[in-house]
């Protein structure tokens, strides 16, 4: 199943569980082996793979054990600076000019 904007939350959780099960089997590891690697219970691994709601930290530990933690980088990339922000900031300064010194005895010029 392809995860789309219109997928329900339960469909997305079920699909993530299915994909993590496929990744585990591709390694290959049993649920018990994965449980030992992650310090989670076999029941938690089974629950995840069956599409039950688990904590995000559980998913992170499973991804780490399967060598897939970098998938989060693809899923949620770091946001760079937007072009509109660059335009708002303008051209960055390359150098600063020295400030002009104001004389203490300044006059308008029409005074004597």
């Amino acid at each position: 199943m392809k995860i789309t904007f219109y997928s329900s939350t339960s469909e997305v959780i079920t699909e993530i569980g299915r994909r993590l099960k496929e990744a585990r089997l591709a390694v290959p590891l049993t649920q018990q082996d994965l449980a030992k690697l992650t310090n989670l219970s076999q029941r938690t691994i089974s629950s995840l793979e069956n599409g039950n709601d688990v904590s995000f930290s559980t998913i992170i530990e499973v991804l780490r054990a399967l060598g897939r933690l970098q998938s989060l980088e693809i899923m949620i990339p770091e946001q760079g600076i937007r072009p509109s922000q660059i335009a708002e900031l303008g051209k960055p300064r390359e150098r600063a000019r020295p400030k002009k010194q104001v004389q203490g005895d300044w006059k308008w010029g029409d005074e004597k």
Side-chain angles (χ1 to χ4, degrees):
M1 175 189 127
K2 186 168 178 82
I3 298 173
T4 68
F5 176 80
Y6 302 104
S7 301
S8 70
T9 300
S10 63
E11 289 173 331
V12 172
I13 292 170
T14 300
E15 183 61 17
I16 289 171
R18 187 188 68 75
R19 290 181 188 187
L20 289 174
K21 180 178 181 177
E22 287 179 357
R24 175 183 60 80
L25 293 172
V27 171
L29 290 172
T30 64
Q31 286 183 345
Q32 193 64 38
D33 293 336
L34 185 57
K36 287 178 185 174
L37 286 172
T38 58
N39 291 321
L40 299 169
S41 69
Q42 188 269 330
R43 187 175 183 158
T44 301
I45 302 298
S46 177
S47 185
L48 168 64
E49 291 181 356
N50 288 322
N52 296 319
D53 203 356
V54 296
S55 70
F56 194 65
S57 60
T58 297
I59 294 172
I60 291 170
E61 289 304 317
V62 170
L63 287 171
R64 179 178 285 119
L66 296 174
R68 303 268 179 111
L69 190 58
Q70 73 278 6
S71 299
L72 292 178
E73 192 65 39
I74 296 166
M75 184 175 80
I76 309 169
E78 190 172 342
Q79 296 299 309
I81 189 164
R82 297 187 318 264
S84 61
Q85 288 175 318
I86 294 171
E88 288 172 4
L89 296 174
K91 184 179 175 185
R93 291 184 69 166
E94 294 178 6
R95 62 179 176 223
R97 294 183 185 188
K99 293 184 178 184
K100 293 182 180 179
Q101 297 293 326
V102 177
Q103 300 296 327
D105 295 331
W106 186 81
K107 296 181 181 181
W108 284 101
D110 59 349
E111 301 169 355
K112 291 186 182 183

